[in-house]
Amino acid sequence: VAASTLWPVVSDARAAANLRTVMWRIGNIDADLIRVTGTRLELDRRAAIDLREHERLARRLLNREPLETVAVGLGRRSRDVAEQLSPADFGFAVGRMIRCLTLDLLVAWYDDWLLLHQERWRQLRLHALDALSLQLTDAGHHAAAIDAATAAVAADQLRESGYRALIMAHLAEGNVSEVIRTHERYCTLLHDELGIAPSLQMYDLVSRATGTASTSGYDGPRRPPPRQPVSPQTEAGPEPTAGYER
């Protein structure tokens, strides 16, 4: 069963041969890494699994643990919790956090049993990127906050909370033009892809930056009215005026 699950597009004989080859190669590295119990293959409990480490990181960020505490062990050198990280080590650790949270689970695998696990990790890591960006903004690390929020936006360009985290980082830094540019880009994207407007939360956030009450009368996301057809003459613009002189 394990062989046909791992290699579903080849014959059972070929899949079994592939499994034997893999087991032999793994055995040469660590004979205890995989245990065979009857018809089951089990990974040794001592093995470090990157997904578990990344999930633990995501949950620590969602629980709003102090970033300095989370960063310990992720810097260039192993450090004690009580020892304060240097700015360089802290920046390196934050960069590692962002990289860990931008990785998808088994990208080239499309098995039905895996889909829910992939979506669960995707949602977890996107929420963790949002939380990381907000914490970095609160701590005054604006460039790193923008980096984390941009990673969340890149992972899902229609997801609003990533854009809100990005706008909050720009707003904390005083870059109102970046706030307006980001908001307009997101509005255009939502309109073109889904035909809807951003949420009230987004309008409130942008209003804080621009100082205008743009949310008056807002009744939630809605589809814009259909465009009215225009005549070919209107589309092309008015005809040149006869006898025009400079």
Side-chain angles (χ1 to χ4, degrees):
V1 176
S4 59
T5 300
L6 293 171
W7 293 278
V9 296
V10 300
S11 65
D12 291 345
R14 181 69 264 177
N18 290 345
L19 181 59
R20 287 193 298 270
T21 301
V22 169
M23 293 293 293
W24 176 77
R25 290 178 177 175
I26 293 176
N28 289 336
I29 300 173
D30 187 341
D32 298 325
L33 183 59
I34 296 181
R35 295 179 298 173
V36 180
T37 57
T39 59
R40 294 175 60 88
L41 299 177
E42 296 181 354
L43 190 64
D44 190 271
R45 294 183 179 180
R46 299 171 300 168
I49 302 175
D50 56 357
L51 178 61
R52 291 177 182 170
E53 298 295 329
H54 297 168
E55 286 180 342
R56 189 175 299 113
L57 168 64
R59 296 194 183 283
R60 295 180 70 183
L61 293 171
L62 290 173
N63 290 334
R64 294 192 64 83
E65 289 189 29
L67 287 179
E68 291 77 9
T69 303
V70 180
V72 170
L74 294 175
R76 292 186 179 90
R77 296 177 296 276
S78 177
R79 292 176 176 269
D80 189 86
V81 176
E83 185 180 354
Q84 186 170 354
L85 292 170
S86 69
D89 276 346
F90 180 79
F92 183 84
V94 169
R96 284 193 62 184
M97 294 181 203
I98 295 173
R99 287 193 297 274
C100 290
L101 297 172
T102 55
L103 299 174
D104 283 313
L105 176 61
L106 299 176
V107 179
W109 289 44
Y110 304 100
D111 302 73
D112 292 340
W113 64 269
L114 186 60
L115 296 178
L116 285 178
H117 296 283
Q118 290 173 325
E119 179 60 18
R120 173 179 170 274
W121 166 240
R122 190 183 78 89
Q123 291 292 338
L124 182 61
R125 69 182 182 85
L126 289 178
H127 281 85
L129 282 170
D130 292 345
L132 175 59
S133 178
L134 295 176
Q135 272 198 273
L136 289 167
T137 297
D138 291 341
H141 302 292
H142 300 132
I146 291 171
D147 192 13
T150 303
V153 169
D156 189 340
Q157 296 188 33
L158 295 176
R159 187 170 171 273
E160 183 176 306
S161 59
Y163 280 93
R164 288 202 305 268
L166 180 57
I167 286 176
M168 290 180 72
H170 287 312
L171 183 58
E173 203 171 18
N175 290 326
V176 178
S177 63
E178 293 290 351
V179 171
I180 297 173
R181 185 181 297 112
T182 301
H183 178 251
E184 289 180 348
R185 183 169 65 245
Y186 183 59
C187 287
T188 301
L189 181 65
L190 272 189
H191 177 272
D192 292 345
E193 296 294 330
L194 302 177
I196 61 176
S199 71
L200 178 61
Q201 289 176 279
M202 177 69 90
Y203 280 97
D204 284 342
L205 188 59
V206 175
S207 295
R208 286 167 47 195
T210 60
T212 58
S214 62
T215 60
S216 177
Y218 182 80
D219 59 355
R222 58 188 183 276
R223 293 185 178 276
R227 294 181 58 187
Q228 297 296 326
V230 295
S231 64
Q233 182 176 358
T234 305
E235 188 84 25
E239 295 182 357
T241 304
Y244 176 77
E245 295 179 355
R246 296 191 179 183

